[in-house]
Amino acid sequence: MLAQVCVEHSVRIDTDDPAVAVVELNRLILESVLAKATDQIRAATAELDLALERVQVRAGALLAKELRGAIQRASPLGAPAQQKEEAKPKRSMLWTTTVAGAAFLLGILVGVLLNW
């Protein structure tokens, strides 16, 4: 490194020169800071991965619940379940389809982000 600086700038620098010590000290500090920043980025990435996995599990559970409800309402075998739900206010089929579609798309997005 010292020889490269001498050739590029046409100057002579001894290894005992204080400028060499300053440059070496700066390099060591920069390496230390970069190592810490890398560790922090890795830790943040791991936390983000865990959070995304939890979101994906919740989105999958919500999608499964909504699909089960939609299947029960649509199938003739789901008639008893439908009678229980008649006491509650009915959700429109559009709302159910929208929620299921949004959950499905969210699951795909989270999956893509986890594999990115």
Side-chain angles (χ1 to χ4, degrees), residues 5-17:
V5 171
C6 290
V7 170
E8 280 184 30
H9 301 288
S10 301
V11 294
R12 183 172 184 274
I13 300 176
D14 285 334
T15 55
D16 296 336
D17 195 317

Side-chain angles (χ1 to χ4, degrees), residues 9 35 38 64 93 101:
H9 301 288
T38 302
M93 189 60 147

Side-chain angles (χ1 to χ4, degrees), residues 34-110:
L34 285 175
K36 288 178 185 176
T38 302
D39 290 343
Q40 290 175 348
I41 289 170
R42 283 189 181 127
T45 302
E47 287 178 27
L48 181 62
D49 284 343
L50 289 174
L52 288 174
E53 284 179 29
R54 287 192 299 264
V55 167
Q56 189 175 17
V57 168
R58 287 181 184 163
L62 176 64
L63 177 62
K65 180 181 175 182
E66 288 296 324
L67 286 176
R68 254 186 260 118
I71 290 169
Q72 285 177 350
R73 286 188 298 275
S75 89
L77 298 176
Q82 190 174 10
Q83 290 171 356
K84 290 180 186 175
E85 289 186 13
E86 285 178 0
K88 301 177 187 177
K90 281 189 166 183
R91 290 188 214 175
S92 71
M93 189 60 147
L94 178 62
W95 171 249
T96 303
T97 306
T98 303
V99 170
F104 180 73
L105 291 176
L106 180 63
I108 289 174
L109 177 66
V110 170

